[in-house]
Structure formats: C-alpha cells, structure tokens
Amino acid sequence: MRRFIIIGHKASTTADFKLDDLAGGAGRLDVLLRCINSAFFLSHDLRKDVEVLLILQGPPGPPKSIRLVGSELRYLNPDERSTGALIRNALMKEARSEERSSPGIYISGRNLQDTLGLLEETELIYLKESGEDIRNAQLAENVTFVLSDHMDLTDEEESMVLLKAPKTLKLGPISYHADHCITIVNNELDRRFL
Ligand SMILES: C[S@@+](CC[C@H](N)C(=O)[O-])C[C@H]1O[C@@H](n2cnc3c(N)ncnc32)[C@H](O)[C@@H]1O
C-alpha cells in the first residue's frame, strides 16, 4: 500500500464553494485535486494500492480529513472539476468520526496528529526539499509519504511529523509542485516493486 498525506493549509472546510473557483474560493483545492489525479490515475487504469489523505485546514471549520481508497473508488474521473464535486459532496456531511460519502471517499474531523496516530505498520517518509536523495534510500512497499500543498509545513506540523521519526527524503535538486512529487514517487516505487 502506498499512502500520501497532503496538508491543504487553506483548503475549504465547507461545501460552500464554486467548482469554477477551485483555485480561489476553495482555498487552492485545485492543488489537492491534482494530487489525487497523480496518486491514482494510470493510462486507462486506476491504482488500487493507493490511499490519499487530505487534511483540509482552511475556513470555516478546520480540520476536515478526506480519505480516498483506491480499491473502493468509483466515479473518479481525471478532470479536476468532477473530483472537486466529489470532495464538495463529502464536505456536505457533518462528520466528526469517519463517514463514507461515496464509494472510496470518506470524511472525518481528523487533524494531522490524529491521522499520524492511526498509521500502522507503515514506513513514514517526509518529503522535503532538503532531505536525503530518494535514489539512495531503501523504501518499503508499504509506505506513507507526508507532503505539503503550495506552502511549506508550519514548524508545528513539521514537529508532529518528525516525532514519528520518518525518513526525510528529497526527490531532486529543486522544489516541485506537490502533484509532480507524487508522480515521481509513484514512478520510483513502480521501478523498485513492479
Ligand atoms: C510546492 S512545494 C511547497 C512550496 C515551497 N516549498 C514554497 O514555499 O515555495 C510542495 C511540497 O512538495 C514537496 N516537495 C517539493 N519539492 C520537493 C523535492 N525536491 N523533494 C522532496 N519534496 C518536495 C514538499 O513536501 C513541499 O512542501
């Protein structure tokens, strides 16, 4: 299982946004939707062994966590607008503990700390531009990556992640978009394990 935890620092925690304004009123939800695409989509197929956890921290009611499970997903299409609609439907639920919104999509009120606390039997990797090169790192097949959206993790978030003693790895010499990082990681794991 490959798991990606992505922090959406400004991402909307209400369904009250327009699908035409994913990069604005929805608090850069477009970044997270592209991460979903990169995590799951293959050419004419979907990765079943992937889970994505989005931690939404924007107004008005943070945190909200959306969990997408590759082996259960239905109705996921490669365009950002329709995935935005699935996330918006999930945000219509008043979920504190986890509830299913549609096949393979769950919503809860979990924050980053709760999410990290629930990880079991998985290697944790913090993706950071200043880490060690992933090409020199041993990776497990069962692995969880933490990355940020268009902003860096705050010091507090980074401390929470570091408490779990992750490997801190970089994917190359420059800073990439979050969705591109997921594509690179998927490719790296495909080369090692498929
Ligand atoms: C667009 S970057 C973050 C924004 C950028 N650091 C800034 O404030 O200008 C999104 C996230 O992707 C991951 N990332 C980007 N480039 C990376 C690299 N070369 N190696 C590892 N992770 C990277 C990090 O988790 C980063 O927080």
Side-chain angles (χ1 to χ4, degrees), residues 126-130 146-153 169-178 181:
Y126 172 30
L127 288 175
K128 185 168 176 164
E129 290 88 335
S130 59
V146 179
L147 63 160
S148 195
D149 53 358
H150 60 296
M151 304 161 75
D152 285 328
L153 290 192
L169 299 181
K170 72 173 173 194
L171 301 170
I174 46 181
S175 186
Y176 305 108
H177 284 181
C181 290

Side-chain angles (χ1 to χ4, degrees), residues 101-162:
S101 163
S102 57
I105 302 188
Y106 299 82
I107 180 156
S108 70
R110 288 176 192 146
N111 60 18
L112 176 61
Q113 192 159 26
D114 301 331
T115 302
L116 292 169
L118 287 172
L119 298 177
E120 289 164 5
E121 311 260 322
T122 178
E123 177 170 54
L124 187 66
I125 296 187
Y126 172 30
L127 288 175
K128 185 168 176 164
E129 290 88 335
S130 59
E132 286 183 40
D133 196 326
I134 195 167
R135 294 268 163 107
N136 302 325
Q138 297 270 10
L139 293 178
E141 222 171 333
N142 190 10
V143 60
T144 299
F145 295 86
V146 179
L147 63 160
S148 195
D149 53 358
H150 60 296
M151 304 161 75
D152 285 328
L153 290 192
T154 63
D155 290 346
E156 192 188 352
E157 289 161 351
E158 185 170 81
S159 303
M160 272 178 218
V161 174
L162 293 177

Side-chain angles (χ1 to χ4, degrees), residues 81-97:
R81 194 184 161 88
S82 71
T83 309
L86 292 173
I87 301 300
R88 194 171 64 170
N89 288 344
L91 285 168
M92 285 174 187
K93 293 197 171 289
E94 279 297 323
R96 289 237 28 92
S97 55

